[in-house]
Amino acid sequence: MGSAVTTTDPAKTSTATSRPGYGQLLRTRGAWTFLLPGFAARQPFAMLTISIVLLVQHTTGSYGAAGATAAVTGVSMALFAPYSGRLADRYGQRAVLLPGVLVHTAAGLTLTALALAHAPLWALFVAAVPTGASVPQVGPMVRARWGVTLKDSPLMTTAAAFESVTDELTFVFGPLLATALCTALAPAAGLFTESALTLVGGLLFAAQKRTQPPVSGGGHARVRHASALSIPGVRVLIVTFLGIGSVFGGMQVSLAAFTESIGEPGLNGVLYGTFAAGNMLSGIVCGAIAWKVAPQRRLVVGYTALALAASALWTAHSVLLLAALGLLVGMCIAPALITGYTLVEGLVPAGARTEAFTWLTGAVALGQAAAVTVAGQLEDRLWGGAGFLVPMAGTVLALLTLVTLRSRLTERADSRLVARGVGHREPVAVD
């Protein structure tokens, strides 16, 4: 248990001037044992919000109620994600995942049953709290397992890019799958499938003991690290990721409302799929490029493009125009997300990076939660498509913060530390 998995020979012979490719990374021995279940267990983060919105809107007839229920889930997820990361650091991933996936499955099914029974809104809120709080933080855990699997291999840089692309694919396939299930099968199908994927994927992922980062032994001296939240650059990235979350939440509610208003609810999946396709394609390309431009500059430029694209969504009054704008917005999201995760490597000491990653994923969830709430209210109270104002406001405000505080994204001199396992507070200076 906890032993390192050796890398493939090509990983050791790759030159320093060219980054090893995705194919070489995926041939690493033992990688698929945690990648496949990890991908399934990551879907709840992307499926949960849209599944709740579509189910609760169907049972209540209100996008406001649907958005509020989803918001409670998102806020709970955002608040508990960093705590889950710290528990995984201290006690090990398996100890956190096993009870977590059981609680999430039970809570998700309870929320589904209450919605179908037309329970009062307060009852949905009560069930939404544990549903969001128990969402497994598998993405950061997978990143940590790459560290155990590869150790000092030059493939580590490729693994970081690959994980960012995988996050993008999760944002693509999760909402698309949930939308298709809710519209083609039954309104409850999305949330039911999300609970099932959490249970099966989470248990299979937790069962992979060989790649699990080792828990620190009692005889080792520890170096105490401050929380990742104390780092100014992390706080800037959190605001940036809140804006990205506003795009996901605003798009999910507003696309569903738009397609229903024109009497073509089935087009919701097509439009979101177009948005997701742009996200996925640009994510694959962005993750494969060995960038020479500093990530701080890339983030500002990419986020400016995202804000401009998102600001045009509310003007679209036809399916074709909305599809084109959705594709453009999706293409702008991936570079911003990937660059943000890349900056964590330079800003945060190794022992606090798992927590930093959970703060960023929690920020996306919180931004998404706020967006579905506000967008739902705007769709109910104003004109059809008013919910698209939310992505515009969220990205513009985040961009202003990013531009004003971009100097705080400068790499820390003490960040080049490596930890022996996830969350171990025993940093070793890099030679």
Side-chain angles (χ1 to χ4, degrees), residues 182-195:
C182 291
T183 55
L185 294 181
L191 199 51
F192 180 83
T193 303
E194 183 270 343
S195 298

Side-chain angles (χ1 to χ4, degrees), residues 18-335:
S18 61
R19 189 168 76 188
Y22 290 137
Q24 188 173 334
L25 176 72
L26 296 178
R27 290 194 295 272
T28 301
R29 191 175 68 180
W32 287 104
T33 63
F34 63 86
L35 284 180
L36 287 179
F39 186 76
R42 286 163 108 145
Q43 297 308 309
F45 180 83
M47 293 181 67
L48 190 57
T49 298
I50 186 62
S51 296
I52 291 175
V53 166
L54 294 176
L55 173 61
V56 177
Q57 193 280 330
H58 173 79
T59 58
T60 65
S62 169
Y63 280 103
T69 306
V72 173
T73 305
V75 170
S76 299
M77 188 194 311
L79 293 177
F80 280 86
Y83 183 64
S84 174
R86 286 195 291 269
L87 287 177
D89 285 347
R90 184 172 182 181
Y91 299 107
Q93 296 182 1
R94 181 181 174 87
V96 175
L97 275 173
L98 289 178
V101 297
L102 295 177
V103 170
H104 183 77
T105 302
L109 294 177
T110 299
L111 179 58
T112 303
L114 288 173
L116 292 175
H118 300 279
L121 193 57
W122 67 263
L124 299 182
F125 288 172
V126 171
V129 171
T131 301
S134 57
V135 171
Q137 299 302 311
V138 176
M141 292 181 181
V142 172
R143 283 181 166 88
R145 290 188 182 229
W146 277 121
V148 174
T149 304
L150 297 175
K151 282 201 169 180
D152 297 326
S153 167
L155 282 168
M156 277 302 299
T157 303
T158 306
F162 177 81
E163 284 307 306
S164 295
V165 173
T166 303
D167 285 335
E168 293 304 312
L169 294 177
T170 300
F171 284 122
V172 168
F173 291 123
L176 191 58
L177 175 61
T179 300
L181 289 170
C182 291
T183 55
L185 294 181
L191 199 51
F192 180 83
T193 303
E194 183 270 343
S195 298
L197 285 173
T198 299
L199 181 63
V200 176
L203 292 179
L204 289 176
F205 183 81
Q208 307 306 315
K209 299 180 181 180
R210 188 182 184 193
T211 54
Q212 179 177 248
V215 179
S216 58
H220 295 287
R222 295 189 179 189
V223 177
R224 185 175 181 180
H225 283 292
S227 169
L229 192 60
S230 66
I231 300 172
V234 172
R235 296 197 294 270
V236 175
L237 290 176
I238 286 174
V239 175
T240 303
F241 276 52
L242 282 169
I244 293 174
S246 74
V247 177
F248 285 112
M251 290 284 284
Q252 288 171 358
V253 171
S254 301
L255 286 177
F258 175 81
T259 54
E260 183 178 345
S261 69
I262 63 174
E264 297 287 347
L267 287 178
N268 184 24
V270 176
L271 289 174
Y272 199 91
T274 304
F275 163 70
N279 201 353
M280 178 182 65
L281 293 175
S282 66
I284 293 173
V285 173
C286 185
I289 295 175
W291 294 95
K292 295 181 180 180
V293 179
Q296 293 86 350
R297 183 178 179 184
R298 295 205 314 267
L299 183 59
V300 172
V301 173
Y303 213 89
T304 300
L306 173 61
L308 290 174
S311 297
L313 285 170
W314 70 275
T315 65
H317 299 291
S318 70
V319 172
L320 289 179
L321 181 56
L322 190 55
L325 288 173
L327 178 67
L328 181 60
V329 171
M331 292 176 66
C332 293
I333 283 182

